[in-house]
Amino acid sequence: MAQPLVRVVFALLVLATIAAFFATQQLKSEVPLVIRFAAKPKEFSPNADGVRDRSAVGFDLSEPATVSFSIMDSEGN
C-alpha cells in the first residue's frame, strides 16, 4: 500500500518542480516595471545638522504606474 502512495507523491513533486521551473522562466522574461532607480547621495542623515540631510531620487518606468517607496535605516526600520 505504501509503495503506490510513494510513487504518486514522487510524481506530484516532479510535476510541481517542472511547473515551478516554467513559471520562473516566464517571470524572468517579463519586462520589469522599474527600469532605472537612482538616489544621490545614496545614504543620507536627516538629523537637521545641514550635512547630507537631503537625497534626490529618480526612476524610469517601463509603463505608467503609481509608485510608492519607503526609506529605511540599516536595521530595516
Side-chain angles (χ1 to χ4, degrees):
M1 177 78 181
Q3 193 170 6
L5 179 62
V6 169
R7 287 182 179 174
V8 168
V9 170
F10 179 75
L12 289 174
L13 287 173
V14 169
L15 290 173
T17 302
I18 293 169
F21 171 78
F22 284 109
T24 303
Q25 293 302 315
Q26 180 64 31
L27 290 172
K28 286 170 38 175
S29 67
E30 292 181 4
V31 176
L33 179 60
V34 179
I35 298 171
R36 184 173 51 123
F37 180 87
K40 290 186 182 182
K42 289 184 178 182
E43 297 87 18
F44 68 106
S45 61
N47 57 4
D49 66 354
V51 178
R52 295 178 67 162
D53 285 341
R54 297 183 195 187
S55 182
V57 176
F59 49 87
D60 292 326
L61 304 176
S62 61
E63 61 186 61
T66 301
V67 178
S68 64
F69 61 92
S70 300
I71 299 172
M72 296 183 284
D73 63 13
S74 60
E75 296 174 0
N77 298 317

